[in-house]
mmCIF file with all atom_site columns, all heavy atoms in Angstrom:
data_model
loop_
_atom_site.group_PDB
_atom_site.id
_atom_site.type_symbol
_atom_site.label_atom_id
_atom_site.label_alt_id
_atom_site.label_comp_id
_atom_site.label_asym_id
_atom_site.label_entity_id
_atom_site.label_seq_id
_atom_site.pdbx_PDB_ins_code
_atom_site.Cartn_x
_atom_site.Cartn_y
_atom_site.Cartn_z
_atom_site.occupancy
_atom_site.B_iso_or_equiv
_atom_site.pdbx_formal_charge
_atom_site.auth_seq_id
_atom_site.auth_comp_id
_atom_site.auth_asym_id
_atom_site.auth_atom_id
_atom_site.pdbx_PDB_model_num
ATOM 1  N N   . LEU A 1 124 ? 35.213 -234.846 -22.795 1.00 98.00 ? 124 LEU A N   1
ATOM 2  C CA  . LEU A 1 124 ? 34.254 -233.944 -23.422 1.00 98.00 ? 124 LEU A CA  1
ATOM 3  C C   . LEU A 1 124 ? 32.831 -234.481 -23.252 1.00 98.00 ? 124 LEU A C   1
ATOM 4  O O   . LEU A 1 124 ? 31.897 -233.719 -22.962 1.00 98.00 ? 124 LEU A O   1
ATOM 5  C CB  . LEU A 1 124 ? 34.587 -233.782 -24.907 1.00 98.00 ? 124 LEU A CB  1
ATOM 6  C CG  . LEU A 1 124 ? 33.804 -232.717 -25.678 1.00 98.00 ? 124 LEU A CG  1
ATOM 7  C CD1 . LEU A 1 124 ? 34.056 -231.329 -25.109 1.00 98.00 ? 124 LEU A CD1 1
ATOM 8  C CD2 . LEU A 1 124 ? 34.173 -232.757 -27.174 1.00 98.00 ? 124 LEU A CD2 1
ATOM 9  N N   . GLY A 1 125 ? 32.665 -235.808 -23.393 1.00 98.00 ? 125 GLY A N   1
ATOM 10 C CA  . GLY A 1 125 ? 31.359 -236.422 -23.210 1.00 98.00 ? 125 GLY A CA  1
ATOM 11 C C   . GLY A 1 125 ? 30.839 -236.256 -21.789 1.00 98.00 ? 125 GLY A C   1
ATOM 12 O O   . GLY A 1 125 ? 29.635 -236.050 -21.576 1.00 98.00 ? 125 GLY A O   1
ATOM 13 N N   . ILE A 1 126 ? 31.736 -236.353 -20.803 1.00 98.00 ? 126 ILE A N   1
ATOM 14 C CA  . ILE A 1 126 ? 31.342 -236.144 -19.399 1.00 98.00 ? 126 ILE A CA  1
ATOM 15 C C   . ILE A 1 126 ? 30.839 -234.716 -19.211 1.00 98.00 ? 126 ILE A C   1
ATOM 16 O O   . ILE A 1 126 ? 29.782 -234.473 -18.603 1.00 98.00 ? 126 ILE A O   1
ATOM 17 C CB  . ILE A 1 126 ? 32.529 -236.433 -18.459 1.00 98.00 ? 126 ILE A CB  1
ATOM 18 C CG1 . ILE A 1 126 ? 32.833 -237.940 -18.425 1.00 98.00 ? 126 ILE A CG1 1
ATOM 19 C CG2 . ILE A 1 126 ? 32.247 -235.917 -17.045 1.00 98.00 ? 126 ILE A CG2 1
ATOM 20 C CD1 . ILE A 1 126 ? 34.103 -238.295 -17.673 1.00 98.00 ? 126 ILE A CD1 1
ATOM 21 N N   . MET A 1 127 ? 31.577 -233.756 -19.741 1.00 98.00 ? 127 MET A N   1
ATOM 22 C CA  . MET A 1 127 ? 31.179 -232.358 -19.585 1.00 98.00 ? 127 MET A CA  1
ATOM 23 C C   . MET A 1 127 ? 29.832 -232.088 -20.247 1.00 98.00 ? 127 MET A C   1
ATOM 24 O O   . MET A 1 127 ? 28.962 -231.410 -19.676 1.00 98.00 ? 127 MET A O   1
ATOM 25 C CB  . MET A 1 127 ? 32.267 -231.445 -20.153 1.00 98.00 ? 127 MET A CB  1
ATOM 26 C CG  . MET A 1 127 ? 33.582 -231.499 -19.393 1.00 98.00 ? 127 MET A CG  1
ATOM 27 S SD  . MET A 1 127 ? 34.832 -230.327 -20.015 1.00 98.00 ? 127 MET A SD  1
ATOM 28 C CE  . MET A 1 127 ? 34.118 -228.761 -19.501 1.00 98.00 ? 127 MET A CE  1
ATOM 29 N N   . ASP A 1 128 ? 29.646 -232.625 -21.442 1.00 98.00 ? 128 ASP A N   1
ATOM 30 C CA  . ASP A 1 128 ? 28.381 -232.422 -22.141 1.00 98.00 ? 128 ASP A CA  1
ATOM 31 C C   . ASP A 1 128 ? 27.230 -233.096 -21.402 1.00 98.00 ? 128 ASP A C   1
ATOM 32 O O   . ASP A 1 128 ? 26.134 -232.549 -21.297 1.00 98.00 ? 128 ASP A O   1
ATOM 33 C CB  . ASP A 1 128 ? 28.480 -232.949 -23.568 1.00 98.00 ? 128 ASP A CB  1
ATOM 34 C CG  . ASP A 1 128 ? 29.380 -232.091 -24.455 1.00 98.00 ? 128 ASP A CG  1
ATOM 35 O OD1 . ASP A 1 128 ? 29.705 -230.950 -24.050 1.00 98.00 ? 128 ASP A OD1 1
ATOM 36 O OD2 . ASP A 1 128 ? 29.781 -232.570 -25.533 1.00 98.00 ? 128 ASP A OD2 1
ATOM 37 N N   . ARG A 1 129 ? 27.477 -234.291 -20.897 1.00 97.00 ? 129 ARG A N   1
ATOM 38 C CA  . ARG A 1 129 ? 26.440 -235.016 -20.148 1.00 97.00 ? 129 ARG A CA  1
ATOM 39 C C   . ARG A 1 129 ? 25.998 -234.229 -18.916 1.00 97.00 ? 129 ARG A C   1
ATOM 40 O O   . ARG A 1 129 ? 24.809 -234.203 -18.573 1.00 97.00 ? 129 ARG A O   1
ATOM 41 C CB  . ARG A 1 129 ? 26.975 -236.398 -19.731 1.00 97.00 ? 129 ARG A CB  1
ATOM 42 C CG  . ARG A 1 129 ? 26.023 -237.195 -18.846 1.00 97.00 ? 129 ARG A CG  1
ATOM 43 C CD  . ARG A 1 129 ? 26.692 -238.440 -18.297 1.00 97.00 ? 129 ARG A CD  1
ATOM 44 N NE  . ARG A 1 129 ? 25.825 -239.116 -17.348 1.00 97.00 ? 129 ARG A NE  1
ATOM 45 C CZ  . ARG A 1 129 ? 24.945 -240.072 -17.661 1.00 97.00 ? 129 ARG A CZ  1
ATOM 46 N NH1 . ARG A 1 129 ? 24.842 -240.465 -18.915 1.00 97.00 ? 129 ARG A NH1 1
ATOM 47 N NH2 . ARG A 1 129 ? 24.189 -240.621 -16.732 1.00 97.00 ? 129 ARG A NH2 1
ATOM 48 N N   . LEU A 1 130 ? 26.958 -233.593 -18.247 1.00 98.00 ? 130 LEU A N   1
ATOM 49 C CA  . LEU A 1 130 ? 26.672 -232.870 -17.007 1.00 98.00 ? 130 LEU A CA  1
ATOM 50 C C   . LEU A 1 130 ? 26.311 -231.407 -17.246 1.00 98.00 ? 130 LEU A C   1
ATOM 51 O O   . LEU A 1 130 ? 26.051 -230.671 -16.297 1.00 98.00 ? 130 LEU A O   1
ATOM 52 C CB  . LEU A 1 130 ? 27.877 -232.959 -16.065 1.00 98.00 ? 130 LEU A CB  1
ATOM 53 C CG  . LEU A 1 130 ? 28.294 -234.372 -15.637 1.00 98.00 ? 130 LEU A CG  1
ATOM 54 C CD1 . LEU A 1 130 ? 29.515 -234.310 -14.733 1.00 98.00 ? 130 LEU A CD1 1
ATOM 55 C CD2 . LEU A 1 130 ? 27.147 -235.105 -14.948 1.00 98.00 ? 130 LEU A CD2 1
ATOM 56 N N   . GLY A 1 131 ? 26.307 -230.995 -18.511 1.00 97.00 ? 131 GLY A N   1
ATOM 57 C CA  . GLY A 1 131 ? 25.948 -229.619 -18.834 1.00 97.00 ? 131 GLY A CA  1
ATOM 58 C C   . GLY A 1 131 ? 26.993 -228.603 -18.420 1.00 97.00 ? 131 GLY A C   1
ATOM 59 O O   . GLY A 1 131 ? 26.667 -227.461 -18.070 1.00 97.00 ? 131 GLY A O   1
ATOM 60 N N   . LEU A 1 132 ? 28.265 -228.991 -18.470 1.00 98.00 ? 132 LEU A N   1
ATOM 61 C CA  . LEU A 1 132 ? 29.356 -228.100 -18.060 1.00 98.00 ? 132 LEU A CA  1
ATOM 62 C C   . LEU A 1 132 ? 29.984 -227.442 -19.285 1.00 98.00 ? 132 LEU A C   1
ATOM 63 O O   . LEU A 1 132 ? 30.612 -228.112 -20.107 1.00 98.00 ? 132 LEU A O   1
ATOM 64 C CB  . LEU A 1 132 ? 30.419 -228.892 -17.294 1.00 98.00 ? 132 LEU A CB  1
ATOM 65 C CG  . LEU A 1 132 ? 29.947 -229.633 -16.040 1.00 98.00 ? 132 LEU A CG  1
ATOM 66 C CD1 . LEU A 1 132 ? 31.093 -230.463 -15.474 1.00 98.00 ? 132 LEU A CD1 1
ATOM 67 C CD2 . LEU A 1 132 ? 29.413 -228.663 -14.996 1.00 98.00 ? 132 LEU A CD2 1
ATOM 68 N N   . GLU A 1 133 ? 29.807 -226.137 -19.405 1.00 97.00 ? 133 GLU A N   1
ATOM 69 C CA  . GLU A 1 133 ? 30.440 -225.412 -20.506 1.00 97.00 ? 133 GLU A CA  1
ATOM 70 C C   . GLU A 1 133 ? 31.940 -225.294 -20.283 1.00 97.00 ? 133 GLU A C   1
ATOM 71 O O   . GLU A 1 133 ? 32.732 -225.277 -21.226 1.00 97.00 ? 133 GLU A O   1
ATOM 72 C CB  . GLU A 1 133 ? 29.820 -224.021 -20.649 1.00 97.00 ? 133 GLU A CB  1
ATOM 73 C CG  . GLU A 1 133 ? 28.404 -224.034 -21.185 1.00 97.00 ? 133 GLU A CG  1
ATOM 74 C CD  . GLU A 1 133 ? 28.328 -224.623 -22.590 1.00 97.00 ? 133 GLU A CD  1
ATOM 75 O OE1 . GLU A 1 133 ? 29.246 -224.353 -23.393 1.00 97.00 ? 133 GLU A OE1 1
ATOM 76 O OE2 . GLU A 1 133 ? 27.368 -225.358 -22.863 1.00 97.00 ? 133 GLU A OE2 1
ATOM 77 N N   . GLN A 1 134 ? 32.324 -225.223 -18.995 1.00 98.00 ? 134 GLN A N   1
ATOM 78 C CA  . GLN A 1 134 ? 33.742 -225.046 -18.652 1.00 98.00 ? 134 GLN A CA  1
ATOM 79 C C   . GLN A 1 134 ? 34.002 -225.675 -17.291 1.00 98.00 ? 134 GLN A C   1
ATOM 80 O O   . GLN A 1 134 ? 33.109 -225.776 -16.453 1.00 98.00 ? 134 GLN A O   1
ATOM 81 C CB  . GLN A 1 134 ? 34.086 -223.559 -18.618 1.00 98.00 ? 134 GLN A CB  1
ATOM 82 C CG  . GLN A 1 134 ? 35.565 -223.252 -18.707 1.00 98.00 ? 134 GLN A CG  1
ATOM 83 C CD  . GLN A 1 134 ? 35.833 -221.767 -18.808 1.00 98.00 ? 134 GLN A CD  1
ATOM 84 O OE1 . GLN A 1 134 ? 35.400 -220.985 -17.965 1.00 98.00 ? 134 GLN A OE1 1
ATOM 85 N NE2 . GLN A 1 134 ? 36.553 -221.354 -19.848 1.00 98.00 ? 134 GLN A NE2 1
ATOM 86 N N   . ALA A 1 135 ? 35.232 -226.137 -17.088 1.00 98.00 ? 135 ALA A N   1
ATOM 87 C CA  . ALA A 1 135 ? 35.608 -226.743 -15.809 1.00 98.00 ? 135 ALA A CA  1
ATOM 88 C C   . ALA A 1 135 ? 37.098 -226.562 -15.593 1.00 98.00 ? 135 ALA A C   1
ATOM 89 O O   . ALA A 1 135 ? 37.864 -226.292 -16.527 1.00 98.00 ? 135 ALA A O   1
ATOM 90 C CB  . ALA A 1 135 ? 35.249 -228.226 -15.784 1.00 98.00 ? 135 ALA A CB  1
#
Side-chain angles (χ1 to χ4, degrees):
L124 188 62
I126 289 172
M127 294 184 70
D128 289 346
R129 175 189 174 91
L130 300 179
L132 302 175
E133 289 298 321
Q134 198 174 55

